[in-house]
Amino acid sequence: MERVPDGVVPEPAMGFFTDVTLCIGCKACEVACKQWNQLPSDGYALTGNSYDNTSRLSSTTWRHVAFVEQMDREVPAASRWMMMSDVCKHCTNAGCLEACPTGAIVRNEFDDVYVQPDVCNGCGYCVPSCPFGVVAVQPQAGVAQKCTLCYDRQKDGMEPACAKSCPTDSILFGRVDELRVKAEARVANLRAQGKDVRLYGVDGEETRDVGPLNAFFLIPDRPEVFNLPPKPVLPSKFQPAAYTAGLLAALAMTAVGIGVFRGFGERA
Amino acid sequence: MPGLGTLYGRGGATTFLMDLEHADLIIIQGSNFAENHPVGFRFVTKAKERGAKVIHIDPRFTRTSALADQYLPIRSGTDIAFTGGIINYVLQNNAYFEEYVLNYTNASYIVDERFADTEDLEGIFSGFDPDKGTYDPKTWKYELDESKAGEASEANGSADDAKGGGTSAPSGGHPEHGTKRAKKDPTLQHPRCALNLMRKHFARYTPEMVERICGTPQDQFLDLCKLVVANSGREKTMTYCYAMGWAQHTVGVQNIRAAATLQALLGNTGRPGGGIMALRGHASIQGSTDIATLYDLFPGYIKSPSLERGEDSFENWKKNWANPTGWWSNWPKYAVSQMKAWFGAAATAENGWAFDYLPKNTGDHSHMPLFFTMKDGGVEGLVLWGQNPAVGGQNAALQRAALGKLKWMVCQDLFETETAAFWKREGVDPATIPTEIFFMPAAGVAEKPGSFTNTMRLVQWHEKAVDPPDDARSDLSLAYQLGLRLKKLYKDSARAIDRPILDMTWDYESDDAHERALGEPDAEKVLREINGYVVATGEHMKTFADLKDDGTTAAGAWIYTGCFPAPGQNNTRRRTGDGWVSLEWAWAWPANRRNLYNRASADPDGKPWSEAKKYVWWDEDQKKWTGYDVPDFPVAKPPSFRAQPGAKGMDAHDGTAPFIMQEYGVAEIFGVQGTVDGPFPTHYEPRESPVPNALYPHQQTNPVLKEWRRRDNPYHAIGDPKYPYVLSTYRLTEHHLTGAMTRWNSWLAELQPEAFCEMSPEFAVELGIRNGDWVTVSTARGEVEAKAMVTGRLAPFKIGPKQWVHQVGMPIHFGYQGLVTGDSANVLPPMVADPNVSIHEAKVFTCNVRLGRRGAAHEGPTWLPVPADEQTPLGKPERGGRVESGTAEQVDNEIASASEIMAGSRRRHDLDHQESEG
Amino acid sequence: MDTAKPSQPHGANYSAAGNFSPDAVAASMQRGDGGFGRDQETYFDHPILRKAHWRWEIVTYFFVGGAAAASAALAAFADLYGEEADAELVRNGRYTALAGSLLSSALLVKDLGRPERFLNMLRIFKLKSPMSVGVYALVSFSTVAGFAALDQARADGIIAWNPFGWFPKRVRVGILAVSAAFMACYTGVLLSATAIPVWFTGRRHIPPIFVLSGVSTGCAAQNVLLALFGGSPRTAKKVETIALIASLAEAALLLDWERRAGDAASPVFTGKRGSRLKTYTLGLGIALPALLNLPSVLSRKTPAKHHRFRTILTSSLALFGGYVLRETVVYAGRDSADDPRAYLRHPE
Ligand SMILES: Nc1nc2c(c(=O)[nH]1)N[C@H]1C(S)=C(S)[C@@H](COP(=O)(O)OP(=O)(O)OC[C@H]3O[C@@H](n4cnc5c(=O)[nH]c(N)nc54)[C@H](O)[C@@H]3O)O[C@H]1N2
Ligand SMILES: Nc1nc2c(c(=O)[nH]1)N[C@H]1C(S)=C(S)[C@@H](COP(=O)(O)OP(=O)(O)OC[C@H]3O[C@@H](n4cnc5c(=O)[nH]c(N)nc54)[C@H](O)[C@@H]3O)O[C@H]1N2
Ligand code: SF4
Ligand code: SF4
Ligand code: SF4
Ligand code: SF4
Ligand code: SF4
Ligand SMILES: [Mo]
């Protein structure tokens, strides 16, 4: 179940390249996603955190635009305000997918990580297993929800709603291999202009466990500034140690149990 | 936009959005481009990717600043000082584009010796009448060369200040000049040539002065000046982008003129990657000025007849507008065709093309005077088509109160707006409101076909996708049905006064049975009338060049002629783009030209200025103008053409004159026409300012601004200690204007759910305000509450060695209807206006801020009725804003004491605050 | 930068004045460094990770599951290696194991919301998913625990015939051993194999601690039953001995976890939660019972009769301590997920 469902011809991996340096924080992507997927609003309250009033990805917010203000009074020219449109990373090694006990989370023919809502049972185990804090169980529906990478639109040959609505092409959708080429060129271009930028999710430290991300980013600051983990972990890699330690204890206690019952028997 | 019209000839953006990609430098000033025109901003990011530099100049660091290469802070209301500073830098360093300036502008034209500059008269130009509070611009003209006089005599002796003012119509010409030619000095040595007058006018706009007035650090400003010069000339071009941050001022038009002047000096207009990109507002606001919602304009920028100008017959009307030289010599063709389109066979040469059917203007009926009159009981009924003045109008409490004086109101809208629901707002007893309200649900964009004319004059057709729900109908349907029913009601009338209704052409019935059943007319039939047709055959007009003044052609709006050149060929439906000029994408007026004045992209000989900036040029082999765009020039007129003395119409222009709408075909950097507040832009402080005018201590404000001194519209004094801070109002990307279309939408409402007031951390610390606290912002007009948004994106302005001005800001989007609600910022500003276009000054006025929530009665004194003897709107500032005594030193002292007062009031605040908390 | 408390994901929250609290700004202006907004460590202190929704149902399930597994194991040891006198333990153990496994399933279903959702997990088996492994452990454990209970019921004369009596006992015990071991340890793995720092950094400790706590609480439960329903004091002493060893080992591992993980485990060991854990699990749940039971365990004599009061007291304390342990570890995961710095500081 982890791989492509039967009878489906795998297509080249499709994904997103989201360039923070081009994002104007218009949130068109966030709204387009909600509209296409008919997701409810998250409530009406001002957070006071820059212009971000939806705060983070959630079961009802599958694109989220983060606003990072870095104003500098000493060197005004160094001031900046960065906007970053976050989304499910569609990891190569997806913690959510590995953790899912029902097989609801699959990798579809576009190499994207997709939650099948009719299979998911809302156990919620994928939630703490996502190293990016993306997937969440939607309380009303009782199933896990996150970006589908517009599986429905892709099947009809359409671009995902968020990318389609992005006015500045901060979100580029396409074949991941081609997007990487574009991204490298963009990095080179920006570096030539003296800008300190990096890719997140192509081959950096962050991909060590989770592998390259089908939705990757160009960021001009440290990842954590945008709520991205610098070193996301892949939960399944902790299993060997955990099982070993746990089963050793069980084994030891078996020995103790047998020992005690036998020992008493002998003494008797 | 007379700011552009007076300089270049047409009141529209000179260029198109895709062309921004070809700029080397993009200056965005007075616009929050990224937030308010996000789709257009795509071309700015594309230019950036190509290596262009982007500069944003704004009082706040916005999402536009975030994407800019450089951000420069500017105190609200001081842009003329800023742009004037750049002009001064360019002139001082002789960095202007000499060949362009000499040939394509009036720089070398010699100005009448009676003309006196603000430098001579301490802040006012010659011709000021302090009693009337207006200028007589008769000295703002060229010295005429008697020897080259043609046969025409001076047509119209008295210059008339109302003409050309008021709107963004392509301004009329200079009948008083007749066909005499102006004197010129091509050596630019004459002290009274326009360029040298300009040198003198801007000489004191030094970097020090800019810092002092605008609060922009000198070094940053100088860097910008250098960048501007380095990115203009033969090989490079720069574009200016502006919007309401320039327009919404009592010097709004001159803000724009300043930039237009600079672009003319640097030779950037009419060239690829150059010009001025006016970023317009509502989806089709350009369209609604073209076809025409302004009270004094007919479609196609034909000024409606005004009795104030003596336009009581077709002949008298024509006399005022049909110029002997230049493009406007065609005026009669356009006016007559329009009357034929409206009244068909009833419009004849004998009856002055049914001139008597037309309503005549008798005064200023723009929005603000209208609402004053309404408040005083002078308006019985109001039909509101998609407007929400209870939130969008200045001094909103007054406007809300005015609505309550109506007998009836018809409101066609998508939602029950604050205006439709004004009678049930907070603190009002509905029983006291006599107004009867008819709410007509409107069809949304996708529920009706029609056209949008966007910010770059591009007319784009959109189809209907679904039927409107329930009883909702298109606006066109309401107008159409109203017409039909009026015709029916009057069908047996024999009275002359009812003839216009009976004779008006009204043949828009849909051929589609389903649409007919809905009561919807055929929108394309309306477009056909706008485009025009041959009266006898019904054949569609192909170009406005074919329009006639003999009644054989009809066209609703000559500038749109050509958009629908044949049945079944609606050019506005076209959607083929090429990534740049895209002539096959929809259709732009005039004549599908995208970059206006594009003859200026070639040198006087008709050759491109450079290979890099090639656009439109003279093809010697084919003997015609050609290029990437539709040439904005008579196609066959060679560069070598020279006008003969006494020539008329377009023959009066040389083959080197790119600004074809202007009298001499050149850009008028010395404004001989159009603007009512002076031929050069001049820095004045806003109507309400915490500081005196550092440039002209005797002249605080624009001397001819429009104001209404009434007790329900009180103004704050200069440096009023009760209102020590500057407030600016603006938009957020997440909402649209009064919020009707966004605060009812949960997906948008959640993104900006509450009204807030942005302030700098420095300010917040002084007032003890924490991020997210409730604050109350107050003016003499009322008070509103909002959450504090403390952000380093705002900073105090340093305007002197120790003097600071604090500026705070509020979005305009909130009101008492919708999913999310909040106080409307517009309760705060006064009604005061630019004298040219009557636009309000929402971008800058003074206020006070205190911690805590407001009281119950927050709408202020504007509520109260005004005694009859005070009701006449005055419209002109007292003493023209003159300040009796005033020297540079005094200004220093006043600024210093103003700062002190500010500090003092802050202290008082703290006390107040403690008391109220205790 | 001002380190305000973590913000709520949604809803009004102004802590992230964070960057611009008056104090922070005033301080910054005083220092004259001007950069009040720079060098953020986090995004408005918002969590990077998302916490599991687990509440009392899961805590109880972990607790009951562990105890049931240990009870089944005790019954099996007693059956295979014990004496006549241990028959009471065999009976109690078998019944409690079944009851516990049924209760466990009920709790899981309660957590999922609808019974049929449980079945979704039986569509596939996935070794990589501890949740999947655990479900199969629970199912197989319940099944064999059921067989054992049926055996017992027949022996007790409650039923006349055991329909599954043909099932070879060896196989049954084998399955029981494996599934009980997994039952006891998978809950720890389930937590450890997540992205939550306090859990994955505790991966070498949580599973064995859960196993040991399962044993000690299982023993405690059996001891109470023995005391109440007249089991032999000899059996009780055996169970006490096992409990003592398990709980001391558990305590040792807890202390080792705290020492090794330090900061990473702070949601477990510090603050209110930490003191609760130390008081009720380490102190009253382990140390006190150990102290009280030690003399009897060490004494060479077999007591003639039950010390009912002591047994019930120490067992109750141990049971409660075991519950607090599960609760602490599960809920510490929420704090850990909510604290972005935890993830940044302890990427592994
Ligand atoms: N999302 C969205 N887009 C819109 C609209 C909307 O409501 N929402 N409205 C549409 C309409 S109708 C219009 S008219 C346009 C308006 O478009 P804009 O003019 O861009 O709109 P504003 O936000 O009112 O003002 C722009 C900027 O001017 C700055 N400003 C204030 N005072 C001054 C000043 O004195 N000098 C300078 N240089 N800058 C100043 C403000 O800080 C603000 O950032 O937007 C259109 N687009
Ligand atoms: N303080 C301050 N005040 C300002 C400004 C500012 O910057 N500061 N900006 C000014 C500017 S630039 C503008 S343009 C005005 C805008 O002021 P308004 O035009 O009054 O504001 P809108 O919210 O755009 O109102 C448009 C209405 O049209 C409705 N509508 C939308 N589509 C249709 C349709 O197809 N048919 C009909 N019948 N109705 C429709 C909407 O629901 C909405 O109620 O505000 C001005 N006021
Ligand atoms: S980001 Fe999280 S939810 Fe998305 S694929 Fe990766 S692990 Fe799954
Ligand atoms: S909540 Fe749904 S998707 Fe997530 S692990 Fe459980 S079954 Fe799988
Ligand atoms: S790809 Fe589709 S589901 Fe995913 S964020 Fe974009 S619009 Fe939403
Ligand atoms: S649509 Fe594009 S530019 Fe707008 S917020 Fe999303 S990513 Fe940024
Ligand atoms: S709302 Fe419409 S007009 Fe405004 S930017 Fe978006 S697409 Fe353009
Ligand atoms: Mo506007």
Side-chain angles (χ1 to χ4, degrees), chain C residues 311-331:
Chain C
T311 310
I312 292 180
L313 176 75
T314 54
S315 302
S316 310
L317 286 173
L319 284 168
F320 185 64
Y323 187 87
V324 169
L325 170 76
R326 303 307 200 296
E327 187 193 59
T328 306
V329 177
V330 169
Y331 277 81

PDB file of all heavy atoms in Angstrom, chain C residues 311-331:
ATOM      1  N   THR C 311      -0.793  -5.369  51.501  1.00  0.00           N
ATOM      2  CA  THR C 311      -0.887  -5.715  50.090  1.00  0.00           C
ATOM      3  C   THR C 311      -1.774  -4.736  49.348  1.00  0.00           C
ATOM      4  O   THR C 311      -1.405  -4.215  48.300  1.00  0.00           O
ATOM      5  CB  THR C 311      -1.464  -7.131  49.939  1.00  0.00           C
ATOM      6  OG1 THR C 311      -0.734  -7.990  50.775  1.00  0.00           O
ATOM      7  CG2 THR C 311      -1.391  -7.567  48.489  1.00  0.00           C
ATOM      8  N   ILE C 312      -2.942  -4.510  49.936  1.00  0.00           N
ATOM      9  CA  ILE C 312      -3.862  -3.621  49.217  1.00  0.00           C
ATOM     10  C   ILE C 312      -3.294  -2.221  49.130  1.00  0.00           C
ATOM     11  O   ILE C 312      -3.332  -1.567  48.082  1.00  0.00           O
ATOM     12  CB  ILE C 312      -5.246  -3.641  49.887  1.00  0.00           C
ATOM     13  CG1 ILE C 312      -5.856  -5.036  49.678  1.00  0.00           C
ATOM     14  CG2 ILE C 312      -6.144  -2.552  49.301  1.00  0.00           C
ATOM     15  CD1 ILE C 312      -7.208  -5.230  50.279  1.00  0.00           C
ATOM     16  N   LEU C 313      -2.666  -1.783  50.233  1.00  0.00           N
ATOM     17  CA  LEU C 313      -2.081  -0.438  50.204  1.00  0.00           C
ATOM     18  C   LEU C 313      -0.985  -0.344  49.161  1.00  0.00           C
ATOM     19  O   LEU C 313      -1.009   0.520  48.269  1.00  0.00           O
ATOM     20  CB  LEU C 313      -1.507  -0.093  51.595  1.00  0.00           C
ATOM     21  CG  LEU C 313      -0.785   1.258  51.622  1.00  0.00           C
ATOM     22  CD1 LEU C 313      -1.801   2.398  51.609  1.00  0.00           C
ATOM     23  CD2 LEU C 313       0.142   1.364  52.833  1.00  0.00           C
ATOM     24  N   THR C 314      -0.005  -1.235  49.230  1.00  0.00           N
ATOM     25  CA  THR C 314       1.139  -1.114  48.316  1.00  0.00           C
ATOM     26  C   THR C 314       0.695  -1.325  46.881  1.00  0.00           C
ATOM     27  O   THR C 314       1.145  -0.632  45.963  1.00  0.00           O
ATOM     28  CB  THR C 314       2.248  -2.129  48.667  1.00  0.00           C
ATOM     29  OG1 THR C 314       1.651  -3.435  48.703  1.00  0.00           O
ATOM     30  CG2 THR C 314       2.891  -1.828  50.005  1.00  0.00           C
ATOM     31  N   SER C 315      -0.235  -2.263  46.681  1.00  0.00           N
ATOM     32  CA  SER C 315      -0.672  -2.508  45.303  1.00  0.00           C
ATOM     33  C   SER C 315      -1.408  -1.313  44.747  1.00  0.00           C
ATOM     34  O   SER C 315      -1.203  -0.927  43.596  1.00  0.00           O
ATOM     35  CB  SER C 315      -1.573  -3.739  45.242  1.00  0.00           C
ATOM     36  OG  SER C 315      -0.874  -4.836  45.749  1.00  0.00           O
ATOM     37  N   SER C 316      -2.285  -0.738  45.566  1.00  0.00           N
ATOM     38  CA  SER C 316      -3.016   0.425  45.070  1.00  0.00           C
ATOM     39  C   SER C 316      -2.050   1.542  44.710  1.00  0.00           C
ATOM     40  O   SER C 316      -2.196   2.200  43.674  1.00  0.00           O
ATOM     41  CB  SER C 316      -3.992   0.934  46.116  1.00  0.00           C
ATOM     42  OG  SER C 316      -4.756  -0.129  46.592  1.00  0.00           O
ATOM     43  N   LEU C 317      -1.068   1.722  45.601  1.00  0.00           N
ATOM     44  CA  LEU C 317      -0.093   2.780  45.312  1.00  0.00           C
ATOM     45  C   LEU C 317       0.640   2.494  44.012  1.00  0.00           C
ATOM     46  O   LEU C 317       0.846   3.364  43.166  1.00  0.00           O
ATOM     47  CB  LEU C 317       0.905   2.907  46.468  1.00  0.00           C
ATOM     48  CG  LEU C 317       0.345   3.580  47.732  1.00  0.00           C
ATOM     49  CD1 LEU C 317       1.359   3.491  48.869  1.00  0.00           C
ATOM     50  CD2 LEU C 317      -0.018   5.032  47.452  1.00  0.00           C
ATOM     51  N   ALA C 318       1.025   1.241  43.828  1.00  0.00           N
ATOM     52  CA  ALA C 318       1.765   0.874  42.620  1.00  0.00           C
ATOM     53  C   ALA C 318       0.887   1.078  41.378  1.00  0.00           C
ATOM     54  O   ALA C 318       1.355   1.576  40.340  1.00  0.00           O
ATOM     55  CB  ALA C 318       2.229  -0.574  42.702  1.00  0.00           C
ATOM     56  N   LEU C 319      -0.399   0.693  41.523  1.00  0.00           N
ATOM     57  CA  LEU C 319      -1.295   0.855  40.373  1.00  0.00           C
ATOM     58  C   LEU C 319      -1.441   2.332  40.025  1.00  0.00           C
ATOM     59  O   LEU C 319      -1.342   2.729  38.862  1.00  0.00           O
ATOM     60  CB  LEU C 319      -2.663   0.245  40.688  1.00  0.00           C
ATOM     61  CG  LEU C 319      -2.702  -1.276  40.640  1.00  0.00           C
ATOM     62  CD1 LEU C 319      -3.993  -1.811  41.248  1.00  0.00           C
ATOM     63  CD2 LEU C 319      -2.558  -1.764  39.211  1.00  0.00           C
ATOM     64  N   PHE C 320      -1.666   3.123  41.046  1.00  0.00           N
ATOM     65  CA  PHE C 320      -1.825   4.540  40.787  1.00  0.00           C
ATOM     66  C   PHE C 320      -0.553   5.133  40.185  1.00  0.00           C
ATOM     67  O   PHE C 320      -0.576   5.895  39.222  1.00  0.00           O
ATOM     68  CB  PHE C 320      -2.209   5.271  42.081  1.00  0.00           C
ATOM     69  CG  PHE C 320      -2.516   6.724  41.856  1.00  0.00           C
ATOM     70  CD1 PHE C 320      -3.600   7.094  41.065  1.00  0.00           C
ATOM     71  CD2 PHE C 320      -1.708   7.715  42.399  1.00  0.00           C
ATOM     72  CE1 PHE C 320      -3.883   8.429  40.854  1.00  0.00           C
ATOM     73  CE2 PHE C 320      -1.982   9.055  42.177  1.00  0.00           C
ATOM     74  CZ  PHE C 320      -3.077   9.421  41.396  1.00  0.00           C
ATOM     75  N   GLY C 321       0.579   4.717  40.758  1.00  0.00           N
ATOM     76  CA  GLY C 321       1.869   5.183  40.241  1.00  0.00           C
ATOM     77  C   GLY C 321       2.029   4.818  38.772  1.00  0.00           C
ATOM     78  O   GLY C 321       2.521   5.611  37.959  1.00  0.00           O
ATOM     79  N   GLY C 322       1.580   3.618  38.430  1.00  0.00           N
ATOM     80  CA  GLY C 322       1.684   3.179  37.041  1.00  0.00           C
ATOM     81  C   GLY C 322       0.821   4.017  36.131  1.00  0.00           C
ATOM     82  O   GLY C 322       1.222   4.376  35.013  1.00  0.00           O
ATOM     83  N   TYR C 323      -0.357   4.370  36.626  1.00  0.00           N
ATOM     84  CA  TYR C 323      -1.236   5.212  35.821  1.00  0.00           C
ATOM     85  C   TYR C 323      -0.616   6.591  35.622  1.00  0.00           C
ATOM     86  O   TYR C 323      -0.577   7.131  34.513  1.00  0.00           O
ATOM     87  CB  TYR C 323      -2.610   5.341  36.493  1.00  0.00           C
ATOM     88  CG  TYR C 323      -3.607   6.060  35.612  1.00  0.00           C
ATOM     89  CD1 TYR C 323      -4.359   5.348  34.672  1.00  0.00           C
ATOM     90  CD2 TYR C 323      -3.760   7.435  35.681  1.00  0.00           C
ATOM     91  CE1 TYR C 323      -5.246   5.994  33.838  1.00  0.00           C
ATOM     92  CE2 TYR C 323      -4.646   8.099  34.848  1.00  0.00           C
ATOM     93  CZ  TYR C 323      -5.394   7.377  33.919  1.00  0.00           C
ATOM     94  OH  TYR C 323      -6.258   8.015  33.089  1.00  0.00           O
ATOM     95  N   VAL C 324      -0.089   7.129  36.717  1.00  0.00           N
ATOM     96  CA  VAL C 324       0.530   8.464  36.629  1.00  0.00           C
ATOM     97  C   VAL C 324       1.704   8.445  35.653  1.00  0.00           C
ATOM     98  O   VAL C 324       1.913   9.374  34.886  1.00  0.00           O
ATOM     99  CB  VAL C 324       0.973   8.942  38.031  1.00  0.00           C
ATOM    100  CG1 VAL C 324       1.849  10.184  37.930  1.00  0.00           C
ATOM    101  CG2 VAL C 324      -0.247   9.213  38.900  1.00  0.00           C
ATOM    102  N   LEU C 325       2.427   7.349  35.661  1.00  0.00           N
ATOM    103  CA  LEU C 325       3.561   7.245  34.739  1.00  0.00           C
ATOM    104  C   LEU C 325       3.074   7.376  33.296  1.00  0.00           C
ATOM    105  O   LEU C 325       3.593   8.197  32.513  1.00  0.00           O
ATOM    106  CB  LEU C 325       4.267   5.895  34.923  1.00  0.00           C
ATOM    107  CG  LEU C 325       5.309   5.588  33.838  1.00  0.00           C
ATOM    108  CD1 LEU C 325       6.580   6.399  34.073  1.00  0.00           C
ATOM    109  CD2 LEU C 325       5.625   4.103  33.772  1.00  0.00           C
ATOM    110  N   ARG C 326       2.044   6.585  32.930  1.00  0.00           N
ATOM    111  CA  ARG C 326       1.539   6.646  31.557  1.00  0.00           C
ATOM    112  C   ARG C 326       1.046   8.060  31.238  1.00  0.00           C
ATOM    113  O   ARG C 326       1.330   8.617  30.197  1.00  0.00           O
ATOM    114  CB  ARG C 326       0.384   5.671  31.345  1.00  0.00           C
ATOM    115  CG  ARG C 326       0.676   4.234  31.639  1.00  0.00           C
ATOM    116  CD  ARG C 326       1.895   3.755  30.887  1.00  0.00           C
ATOM    117  NE  ARG C 326       1.949   2.314  30.772  1.00  0.00           N
ATOM    118  CZ  ARG C 326       2.066   1.483  31.793  1.00  0.00           C
ATOM    119  NH1 ARG C 326       2.170   1.939  33.016  1.00  0.00           N
ATOM    120  NH2 ARG C 326       2.117   0.181  31.595  1.00  0.00           N
ATOM    121  N   GLU C 327       0.282   8.563  32.192  1.00  0.00           N
ATOM    122  CA  GLU C 327      -0.300   9.880  31.969  1.00  0.00           C
ATOM    123  C   GLU C 327       0.806  10.924  31.779  1.00  0.00           C
ATOM    124  O   GLU C 327       0.751  11.741  30.860  1.00  0.00           O
ATOM    125  CB  GLU C 327      -1.153  10.229  33.181  1.00  0.00           C
ATOM    126  CG  GLU C 327      -1.956  11.484  33.013  1.00  0.00           C
ATOM    127  CD  GLU C 327      -2.530  11.929  34.356  1.00  0.00           C
ATOM    128  OE1 GLU C 327      -1.742  12.168  35.297  1.00  0.00           O
ATOM    129  OE2 GLU C 327      -3.751  12.014  34.459  1.00  0.00           O
ATOM    130  N   THR C 328       1.801  10.843  32.620  1.00  0.00           N
ATOM    131  CA  THR C 328       2.879  11.822  32.539  1.00  0.00           C
ATOM    132  C   THR C 328       3.577  11.747  31.193  1.00  0.00           C
ATOM    133  O   THR C 328       3.792  12.765  30.528  1.00  0.00           O
ATOM    134  CB  THR C 328       3.911  11.571  33.657  1.00  0.00           C
ATOM    135  OG1 THR C 328       3.215  11.544  34.891  1.00  0.00           O
ATOM    136  CG2 THR C 328       4.964  12.657  33.665  1.00  0.00           C
ATOM    137  N   VAL C 329       3.904  10.535  30.801  1.00  0.00           N
ATOM    138  CA  VAL C 329       4.662  10.416  29.556  1.00  0.00           C
ATOM    139  C   VAL C 329       3.812  10.826  28.355  1.00  0.00           C
ATOM    140  O   VAL C 329       4.277  11.535  27.467  1.00  0.00           O
ATOM    141  CB  VAL C 329       5.206   8.979  29.394  1.00  0.00           C
ATOM    142  CG1 VAL C 329       5.925   8.828  28.061  1.00  0.00           C
ATOM    143  CG2 VAL C 329       6.148   8.642  30.549  1.00  0.00           C
ATOM    144  N   VAL C 330       2.544  10.408  28.381  1.00  0.00           N
ATOM    145  CA  VAL C 330       1.686  10.774  27.247  1.00  0.00           C
ATOM    146  C   VAL C 330       1.493  12.281  27.205  1.00  0.00           C
ATOM    147  O   VAL C 330       1.666  12.915  26.160  1.00  0.00           O
ATOM    148  CB  VAL C 330       0.327  10.043  27.332  1.00  0.00           C
ATOM    149  CG1 VAL C 330      -0.659  10.633  26.325  1.00  0.00           C
ATOM    150  CG2 VAL C 330       0.523   8.556  27.072  1.00  0.00           C
ATOM    151  N   TYR C 331       1.173  12.869  28.330  1.00  0.00           N
ATOM    152  CA  TYR C 331       0.905  14.316  28.317  1.00  0.00           C
ATOM    153  C   TYR C 331       2.176  15.150  28.137  1.00  0.00           C
ATOM    154  O   TYR C 331       2.111  16.253  27.611  1.00  0.00           O
ATOM    155  CB  TYR C 331       0.136  14.736  29.578  1.00  0.00           C
ATOM    156  CG  TYR C 331      -1.342  14.489  29.431  1.00  0.00           C
ATOM    157  CD1 TYR C 331      -1.863  13.217  29.642  1.00  0.00           C
ATOM    158  CD2 TYR C 331      -2.202  15.499  29.025  1.00  0.00           C
ATOM    159  CE1 TYR C 331      -3.212  12.955  29.472  1.00  0.00           C
ATOM    160  CE2 TYR C 331      -3.555  15.257  28.850  1.00  0.00           C
ATOM    161  CZ  TYR C 331      -4.062  13.983  29.079  1.00  0.00           C
ATOM    162  OH  TYR C 331      -5.397  13.731  28.898  1.00  0.00           O
TER     163      TYR C 331
END
